[in-house]
Amino acid sequence: MNAPADIKNVTSGASDQERGYRSFRLGSFGFRRDEYFAHITWKTRDGRPLSHTMDIGHYLQALMRDVAWGFFYGGVNFDPVIGTVNHYKSVDFQAGAFNETMKSAGVDLLENFPVDEIREVFESMLDDWTNEGFDPFAAPQETGSPYGRKRGNNTAAVTRARELADRCVGLKDDLLLRTDERGSPVNRGFADVPQDEPELHPEPGFETEVHAFNLFAFLSRSQVTWNPSFTSVVKYSYMCPTTEEHMLPIMHANDRVEWFFQLSDEIHWDCADKRSGKPLARVIMKPGDMAAMPAYCRHQGFSPKRSMLLVWENGSPNLVYEIQKGDAPEVPVQFD
Ligand code: PHB
Ligand code: FE
């Protein structure tokens, strides 16, 4: 039996308007936030209304990565139900398309959007739904609460761009090491990381072409978590170190092989089949461990204390199509 219309406001407290957040549409998906949750709605393939609910803090942390990374490589799953798939010129938003139970029940939906359209909706949603004092890139212990009615915003935090080295880090005109120059403090989790820099003795005339820096000291000052920076780019080989604490707020379904090198501390990974979501492996990584994530898996990391991770990506724009055609492998090595 339907409740009388006026019961709604009695039982749910404030109305959406009073809470102060905007609602959004993307194709046939609807997005609404209240004090604790993001609600995503759609019509199933056979026309029935369905909805999905996520904790708003987790939702904003996932949305922040998707926006800042330009939809990343392959799939960004916010949780086992919703997420995006990057086709580089367009992006899918999907609910249940990589969840075997929902897919076999026929209640999933996937729609494709031009990159600009989905980016604009996501950017506006992230800005409107992020309250003053909450930084979706920060570790949960280092930021305020995402909950409650709308309180201001945090535009500076949600529009910070991924750090990209223009040239070899530390050389003239490279901007990355400015983080150090700005004097960002060493994170509490890395108080024991030595801050001394390597000695350099370039031959006369090569002073502006030879450089070395202490990567551990650089990373120890990172203000964000789960945000790989492009620290070296050699053709399509991207070295992307990052500092991690709490959990990667997305399950990444890569469209190519990706390597992890655990530089310090510990990360536990859940790996699952990227199409069905069926669990595949638990990978416990300790300092010095390396792992390769095959292109058919999705993965989510858990870092009990702040740790340093080097993510190594092959950024070739052709690789995804080579894998689709069977010309490149989905795994890093094939054993006969
Ligand atoms: C990944 O999905 O591979 C990933 C993303 C962000 C990180 C680390 C790993 O900080
Ligand atoms: Fe990944």
Side-chain angles (χ1 to χ4, degrees):
M1 194 182 98
N2 287 337
D6 59 348
I7 295 273
K8 185 171 168 267
N9 284 343
V10 176
T11 52
S12 66
S15 69
D16 284 352
Q17 221 170 10
E18 281 173 294
R19 292 185 188 101
Y21 297 105
R22 282 174 61 198
S23 295
F24 294 87
R25 287 213 74 82
L26 181 64
S28 35
F29 292 98
F31 298 81
R32 179 174 72 77
R33 102 151 260 189
D34 61 23
E35 293 182 31
Y36 283 116
F37 300 111
H39 301 274
I40 294 88
T41 54
W42 68 99
K43 276 218 173 81
T44 61
R45 281 187 274 137
D46 58 7
R48 288 173 291 166
L50 198 61
S51 61
H52 179 60
T53 306
M54 278 185 73
D55 171 88
I56 190 61
H58 185 169
Y59 180 84
L60 291 171
Q61 289 165 343
L63 186 64
M64 177 78 257
R65 270 71 182 181
D66 218 8
V67 166
W69 302 344
F71 304 101
F72 211 25
Y73 295 109
V76 170
N77 300 285
F78 288 27
D79 72 353
V81 177
I82 63 158
T84 57
V85 183
N86 196 355
H87 300 289
Y88 304 99
K89 293 196 175 88
S90 67
V91 176
D92 299 333
F93 185 83
Q94 59 81 23
F98 304 108
N99 177 309
E100 198 168 73
T101 308
M102 294 179 74
K103 201 147 178 77
S104 55
V107 297
D108 59 306
L109 183 70
L110 180 149
E111 289 180 353
N112 183 260
F113 302 97
V115 182
D116 288 346
E117 184 182 342
I118 182 166
R119 191 193 324 105
E120 278 162 30
V121 172
F122 275 18
E123 282 176 358
S124 308
M125 193 185 316
L126 181 63
D127 194 39
D128 190 75
W129 289 7
T130 302
N131 282 325
E132 189 183 344
F134 178 67
D135 178 353
F137 259 136
Q141 288 192 63
E142 298 185 338
T143 190
S145 164
Y147 303 121
R149 297 189 186 183
K150 188 161 168 61
R151 297 183 313 275
N153 53 37
N154 197 357
T155 304
V158 300
T159 55
R160 65 154 93 71
R162 178 144 65 157
E163 297 191 348
L164 184 66
D166 302 292
R167 57 170 314 193
C168 188
V169 170
L171 283 177
K172 189 172 175 298
D173 300 329
D174 162 58
L175 302 176
L176 255 190
L177 285 187
R178 281 209 320 213
T179 313
D180 268 343
E181 287 164 18
R182 283 199 303 266
S184 303
V186 173
N187 185 269
R188 75 198 194 293
F190 295 136
D192 57 345
V193 174
Q195 297 293 313
D196 47 324
E197 292 296 330
E199 275 182 38
L200 278 168
H201 304 281
E203 290 292 314
F206 291 91
E207 290 85 351
T208 57
E209 292 177 40
V210 178
H211 190 71
F213 72 99
N214 180 345
L215 178 67
F216 293 96
F218 169 64
L219 287 175
S220 72
R221 295 167 184 274
S222 169
Q223 303 299 292
V224 296
T225 57
W226 305 104
N227 190 35
S229 55
F230 287 77
T231 301
S232 88
V233 175
V234 179
K235 295 192 177 163
Y236 293 131
S237 168
Y238 300 163
M239 292 289 182
C240 309
T242 159
T243 64
E244 320 296 44
E245 183 172 328
H246 190 235
M247 60 197 268
L248 175 58
I250 61 150
M251 297 162 179
H252 181 218
N254 212 340
D255 55 15
R256 62 201 68 208
V257 177
E258 169 184 41
W259 292 80
F260 295 152
F261 181 15
Q262 191 70 40
L263 297 177
S264 84
D265 303 282
E266 201 166 303
I267 297 180
H268 302 186
W269 292 92
D270 277 349
C271 306
D273 182 281
K274 73 177 180 186
R275 290 178 188 88
S276 68
K278 273 198 179 148
L280 280 177
R282 285 273 293 165
V283 180
I284 312 295
M285 296 191 67
K286 309 237 167 129
D289 285 348
M290 288 200 81
M293 296 288 151
Y296 56 74
C297 90
R298 74 186 192 200
H299 42 266
Q300 181 166 37
F302 301 83
S303 186
K305 83 169 272 295
R306 209 169 186 95
S307 66
M308 296 185 184
L309 175 73
L310 183 69
V311 180
W312 183 24
E313 292 277 3
N314 181 337
S316 164
N318 302 323
L319 189 52
V320 53
Y321 309 108
E322 287 163 9
I323 289 177
Q324 278 167 14
K325 280 189 284 174
D327 293 343
E330 280 194 309
V331 291
V333 61
Q334 265 152 333
F335 300 101
D336 296 321

